[in-house]
Amino acid sequence: MVAAETVVVLPFVVLVACVLVWVVSLGVAQMRVADASREAARLLARGQSTAEARAAVREAVPGARMRVSREGDRAGVTVRYRARLPLVPRVHLDLSSRSVAVVE
C-alpha cells in the first residue's frame, strides 16, 4: 500500500525539487549581475577606464552586456544578462541591474 502512494507522490517531489533548483540558480545569477554592476560603477567613479570596468563585468558574469551612462558627477552602469534555466535550456530569462556611483 505504501509503495503505491510513493509512486503517486514521487513525481511531485521531483517537480518541487526542480523548481527549487531553478529559483536558487536565478537568485545566484541575479546577485552576480548586481555585484558586477556595482563593481563597474565603483571602478568608473574612481577614474578607471570603461575597458577596465567592462573586463570586471566580463569576469564576474561571462556573456553579460554592459551600458555606461554619465550624468554630471555620477557614473551609472547597467548590466544585462540572459540566463538559461537549468534542466530547461530553451527557456531564457533576462536579468538586469543598474548601479550609480558618485565620481570622485
Side-chain angles (χ1 to χ4, degrees), residues 3-19:
E5 293 161 350
T6 302
V7 170
V8 171
V9 172
L10 191 60
F12 296 108
V13 171
V14 171
L15 179 65
V16 168
C18 290
V19 168

Side-chain angles (χ1 to χ4, degrees), residues 11-35:
F12 296 108
V13 171
V14 171
L15 179 65
V16 168
C18 290
V19 168
L20 286 175
V21 166
W22 178 63
V23 169
V24 168
S25 71
L26 283 178
V28 168
Q30 179 62 42
M31 288 182 359
R32 288 176 43 213
V33 168
D35 289 344

Side-chain angles (χ1 to χ4, degrees), residues 64-77:
R65 294 171 288 153
M66 181 181 99
R67 189 176 73 205
V68 176
S69 63
R70 296 188 188 258
E71 302 163 3
D73 65 341
R74 299 181 189 276
V77 174

Side-chain angles (χ1 to χ4, degrees), residues 55-91:
V57 168
R58 256 191 316 242
E59 182 180 331
V61 186
R65 294 171 288 153
M66 181 181 99
R67 189 176 73 205
V68 176
S69 63
R70 296 188 188 258
E71 302 163 3
D73 65 341
R74 299 181 189 276
V77 174
T78 302
V79 174
R80 296 186 186 278
Y81 177 66
R82 177 166 268 199
R84 280 188 262 160
L85 301 179
L87 308 173
V88 188
R90 291 186 181 192
V91 176

